[in-house]
Amino acid sequence: MIMSFKRIATLTLALVIAATAFGANDALAKEEPAGTVASKSIDEVLAGRSTDINKILLKEDSGEPAVSYKALVKEDEKESEEIAKQEELIAKNKQTKAEKKAKKEYEKTLRYLACIVYTEAGNQCYAGRLAVAAVVMNRVKSPGFPNTIHGVLYQHMQFGPARKGVLAKEMKKYNKGWYNKAERKGSLQAAKDCLDGKYTVKYKGKTINLRKYTNFNGHLSNAKIRISGHDFA
């Protein structure tokens, strides 16, 4: 529970007075006949000291009697609830901003990836398209390459479509909705699957793990495997 310093001091004083009242209750027990004090509640005992309490717990400006201890506790609980609600709202706003940022980054990456897949392997089978997407994302995650997809694609002398301006033209087509059409849908799907974590593909009866490949070309001297129209290493 969160309380102001003033309220903490007030509640502390009220507790001290309440403790005094308990002492008075013990004293009354000695003076009155057996069975009489037992029937009295602590509230009744406190009520007998209400004059003393009200003299101490006065509102600074109005001079009116202060609220009761229970009322103070209830008020502080209400304030604590309001603070908790505000903190929850702030956390939700932060989460919403983070989600929006992540969504924007995902859409940006998807756009780049779908376009490079189409320009490099648009005429190939699904396995060939996914393999190209995997190489690009493997480079993004590798310490040996730039850590953004833009940096990877535009790294000096690496991707022909980026270097020759073909990729930029293709991205304009992406913005116009061309990747919802049959010719480019396969490239978009391969890019989505890769971003969703799919890095294995079946090709010619073999299941191939694509996570270790960071290079592809029509022909590579150090090729580990060939998928569709590209060698991969």
Side-chain angles (χ1 to χ4, degrees):
M1 183 185 295
I2 302 172
M3 297 185 188
S4 65
F5 178 79
K6 182 179 178 181
R7 279 213 175 86
I8 292 173
T10 304
L11 292 176
T12 303
L13 183 57
L15 286 171
V16 171
I17 294 170
T20 305
F22 274 112
N25 194 16
D26 292 338
L28 286 172
K30 295 177 181 179
E31 296 174 2
E32 296 191 17
T36 305
V37 175
S39 63
K40 287 188 177 182
S41 66
I42 184 60
D43 288 336
E44 290 174 320
V45 175
L46 286 174
R49 301 296 185 274
S50 61
T51 303
D52 294 334
I53 293 174
N54 286 335
K55 285 180 181 178
I56 298 170
L57 299 179
L58 294 178
K59 292 183 178 179
E60 293 179 359
D61 298 328
S62 64
E64 297 176 358
V67 293
S68 67
Y69 170 73
K70 289 182 179 180
L72 284 173
V73 171
K74 188 174 182 180
E75 184 180 344
D76 279 302
E77 286 176 348
K78 187 177 180 180
E79 282 189 11
S80 296
E81 289 175 3
E82 289 298 323
I83 291 170
K85 287 178 181 178
Q86 290 175 12
E87 289 175 346
E88 184 179 356
L89 183 60
I90 291 170
K92 283 182 178 179
N93 288 337
K94 286 182 180 179
Q95 184 178 1
T96 301
K97 287 180 181 178
E99 288 173 351
K100 285 181 179 179
K101 185 178 179 180
K103 184 179 179 181
K104 186 177 179 180
E105 188 62 31
Y106 172 84
E107 290 174 350
K108 177 183 176 182
T109 303
L110 177 62
R111 178 169 169 257
Y112 273 116
L113 194 58
C115 291
I116 196 63
V117 168
Y118 179 77
T119 55
E120 290 281 14
N123 61 345
Q124 297 181 20
C125 64
Y126 175 78
R129 293 169 182 166
L130 183 65
V132 167
V135 166
V136 173
M137 295 313 298
N138 286 342
R139 286 192 175 198
V140 173
K141 297 171 185 176
S142 170
F145 297 91
N147 62 359
T148 66
I149 190 167
H150 179 275
V152 165
L153 296 181
Y154 285 93
Q155 191 174 16
H156 183 61
M157 297 299 291
Q158 293 300 305
F159 290 86
R163 186 173 68 252
K164 297 172 183 177
V166 177
L167 179 62
K169 292 178 181 178
E170 196 62 30
M171 290 175 74
K172 290 179 181 179
K173 293 177 181 179
Y174 183 99
N175 294 342
K176 293 178 180 178
W178 285 38
Y179 278 71
N180 294 320
K181 298 178 182 180
E183 184 182 352
R184 290 170 170 78
K185 261 189 175 182
S187 297
L188 178 62
Q189 189 59 54
K192 283 182 177 179
D193 290 345
C194 183
L195 291 180
D196 287 344
K198 185 175 182 181
Y199 279 82
T200 57
V201 69
K202 283 190 176 182
Y203 184 68
K204 292 185 177 182
K206 294 182 179 180
T207 299
I208 304 168
N209 187 337
L210 301 168
R211 288 191 180 275
K212 59 185 177 181
Y213 301 112
T214 57
N215 198 12
F216 72 87
N217 209 325
H219 296 283
L220 290 173
S221 59
N222 61 337
K224 303 296 182 184
I225 194 169
R226 186 169 182 83
I227 303 175
S228 194
H230 288 120
D231 287 343
F232 290 84

